[in-house]
């Protein structure tokens, strides 16, 4: 997590959903992209407009991924594992 406590992502290990929670949600929609460890994008969501967002990751293969969120508040990254 970067950018202070602007955004929280949990849990760090899951097999179905990640939750993205904003301390102060951005005025504009955010873009969220999930990358594999090779740096290849495997999923993208264009809008994260709620204070708490549920993101489905159940279709991803088991492994470690990087979540990148781009918003007017900056860019945030978070590593998570699909079990």
């Amino acid at each position: 997590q970067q950018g202070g406590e602007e955004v929280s992502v949990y849990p760090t290990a899951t097999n179905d959903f990640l939750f993205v929670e904003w301390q102060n949600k951005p005025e504009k929609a955010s873009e969220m992209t999930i990358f594999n460890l090779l740096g290849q994008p495997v999923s993208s969501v264009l809008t994260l407009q709620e204070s708490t967002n549920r993101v489905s990751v159940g279709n991803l293969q088991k492994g470690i991924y990087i979540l990148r969120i781009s918003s007017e508040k900056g860019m945030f990254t978070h590593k998570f594992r699909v079990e």
Side-chain angles (χ1 to χ4, degrees), residues 9-75:
V9 180
Y10 55 90
T12 56
T14 184
N15 60 9
D16 52 9
F17 296 102
L18 278 180
F19 294 89
V20 178
E21 186 173 330
W22 290 97
Q23 188 111 28
N24 299 299
K25 78 175 184 171
E27 294 295 318
K28 297 179 183 173
S30 303
E31 180 178 0
M32 183 201 72
T33 307
I34 297 173
F35 296 90
N36 62 22
L37 289 182
L38 299 175
Q40 301 165 323
V42 295
S43 179
S44 183
V45 176
L46 294 178
T47 56
L48 290 172
Q49 295 180 309
E50 304 300 323
S51 293
T52 301
N53 299 271
R54 187 173 81 164
V55 179
S56 176
V57 295
N59 60 326
L60 298 177
Q61 294 183 355
K62 292 180 181 180
I64 297 173
Y65 295 88
I66 305 292
L67 172 70
R68 183 180 72 193
I69 302 167
S70 301
S71 79
E72 63 190 25
K73 294 181 178 282
M75 186 173 296

